[in-house]
Amino acid sequence: MSSSTLHPPQVELVLRVLTKLLATSAGKTILGQAGPYLDAAAQADSASLRSLAAEQYGQALAMMQQQQQQQHQTPPGAMEIEIDAASSSGVEPHTGTLVKLIALLGDSDPSVAAIASSHLSTHFGSSSSISCNGVSSSSSSSSCNGVSSSSSQPHHLSASLHTALTPGSDSFAALQSVARARESVVRLRVVELLLGSAGRAGAAGADRLQRSGLLQPLLWELDNTADVLSCLSALNVVQQLVEGAAAPIDQDPRRLTRSGGAAAAPQPSSLATVLASLVMPQLLRLLQSSQAALRAGALPIATALLRATLQGGGCRGDPDGDAVMADAGDGGSSSSSSSSSSSAATARSLLDGMRGVLDDSGDGGAEVEAAVLDAVGQLGLLRAGAELVLTDPDLAAAMLERALGRAGSPDVRVAALHATASCAGLDRANNSRTTAAAILSPQAEALLRTSLYAAAGRRTPAEVILPLLQQPFVALRCATYRLTSSLCLRAWFAAEVARSESLMTHLLRNGETGAEGAHWRHACILALQSTTHRAAVRAAAANGGNGVHIHDGDLHAEAKRRRSVLAEVVAAAAAGGPFARGEQEGGRSGGNEPQPVVATMQS
């Protein structure tokens, strides 16, 4: 079949028959004698034949692995199926088959390489776990390099992956050979396979991969700015892996409640942490590239990796506004200190780049500014990221100015509104089901408030917010609602909203006809309800439980008289849901719809 004596249709027919035959129980029994034929197929000119070889190598590898797991007490030489007799002398009984399958990763046909990659990924993730000395074990738990794992947990370092990442093994040499192929697409296949397999193995796999040196081809591609397409391809691989490793962040405004228990914070991927330590220097250099495409590709990846580091407790904002590392609980080891310093430097470098685009001397256009603001918003979703942004006076001022002051384009304003909303913390409150999660350090909160009033200029924040909510553009209104919702979790801003009769009327009347706008408007009401409730509880406690009482100097007499009405009106609007209709131009829509009031809360 590997010769040219058969026509392509005849070859395809024979391949279909062979594939079905080898998939049967009887067919699997002949794999042990099929080695020479599979080897010839793997070297054939026909991609279909090479695909058959890759598939059958993978099936044979799975069968050998299954037998090994079932007979883990049996000496390696006792395995029943052996494609290559020479492999019996290797570290693993199926090394020969594994090496041949790895070689097919470098196949010129993507479909052949994809089959090989799929089987290798399964193989590296399904064999028995190992102990710290590298010995295969079928016990329920193992420890490697101080990292504990358990078979009841999804992360463990398999024996096959451990061997493949160990210099000197046959599988390591095969991976290294393919990783050094001339074609960049082939090199990146190996990187993608290794990163995905190590990421699933958790901290032990990530650490093993980092020390193996097999990621070096990825770093070469990221440094190869002369070949823009190759560099972008490497960036795409990193981005896909980062997105797959990222923990989800709930941004549903309907989850915001007045109270509730805090949920466990999502944990960052060990793979993301390894990637950050390895590729961040290259990404930061790409942010200074003269190629706009490379800068645009590197920015979201660098941001996502920094966010993964922050999510792991790696960095926080200190009182002086510099990025410092949080205590990792390891007694201040030298490795932790080094990692802390590296993450702090990364945060500063990334913020410097963002600030350089957004300051008045920056030469970035609207598209670049919007991309930077999107990245700022991604950082702001985490408390540590928001602290970094809001303890940087220049960056915070530039962001608020584009949100509420002058903006170069509608896209920039929308991006700035969302970025500020992320930093202000509605999403953190949703995620943890407690409004306290939105509030930052005193320094960050003070800078947020100062920058907001500075951006508003001679107008009040409410006078800036209302015109934005009256615009015909849904995206702009939703971004403004989201910012208003986030800020309303703070008593001082909720008081600004409540003082504005026109803004309260707009929020309570609900003129939104679309679902997205209606839900975000309702999110504002929920945030107001949460803040008014907390203010009432605090005031009642301060006055011995005798109801809300605020000193004469805090509120105007009329607002104080109607203070108790505010909580009732907001609660009624919240209970009405996103689509409840308030006062309409032609009269009331019926029922006991709440009427807007002018009132304030203690700020």
Side-chain angles (χ1 to χ4, degrees), residues 507-521:
L507 294 176
L508 294 169
R509 178 179 293 170
N510 187 14
E512 295 292 339
T513 57
E516 188 178 12
H519 281 303
W520 278 116
R521 180 206 65 88

Side-chain angles (χ1 to χ4, degrees), residues 222-294:
L222 292 175
D223 279 329
N224 187 19
T225 55
D227 187 344
V228 176
L229 292 180
S230 176
C231 191
L232 287 175
S233 180
L235 286 171
N236 184 57
V237 170
V238 177
Q239 183 171 23
Q240 290 178 358
L241 290 163
V242 170
E243 289 173 351
I249 295 180
D250 194 335
Q251 299 186 38
D252 186 353
R254 290 164 284 178
R255 282 188 53 193
L256 183 63
T257 57
R258 287 192 318 194
S259 61
Q267 296 300 312
S269 165
S270 299
L271 173 60
T273 304
V274 172
L275 277 174
S277 65
L278 287 174
V279 306
M280 191 63 81
Q282 283 79 6
L283 294 176
L284 293 176
R285 284 196 292 270
L286 289 176
L287 291 177
Q288 307 300 321
S289 170
S290 59
Q291 296 285 343
L294 296 181

Side-chain angles (χ1 to χ4, degrees), residues 6 29 82 146-147 149 242 265 336 361-362 364 381 395 431 469 561 577:
L6 294 178
T29 61
E82 188 62 66
V147 180
S149 65
V242 170
S336 175
S361 62
L381 290 172
L395 183 57
N431 225 28
L469 293 177
R561 182 179 66 82

Side-chain angles (χ1 to χ4, degrees), residues 242 280 283-284 287 297-310 346 350 354 371-380 382:
V242 170
M280 191 63 81
L283 294 176
L284 293 176
L287 291 177
L299 178 62
I301 300 173
T303 303
L305 288 176
L306 177 59
R307 198 180 83 180
T309 302
L310 298 177
T346 296
L350 186 57
M354 293 175 171
V372 168
L373 289 166
D374 287 340
V376 171
Q378 287 298 307
L379 281 180
L382 295 177

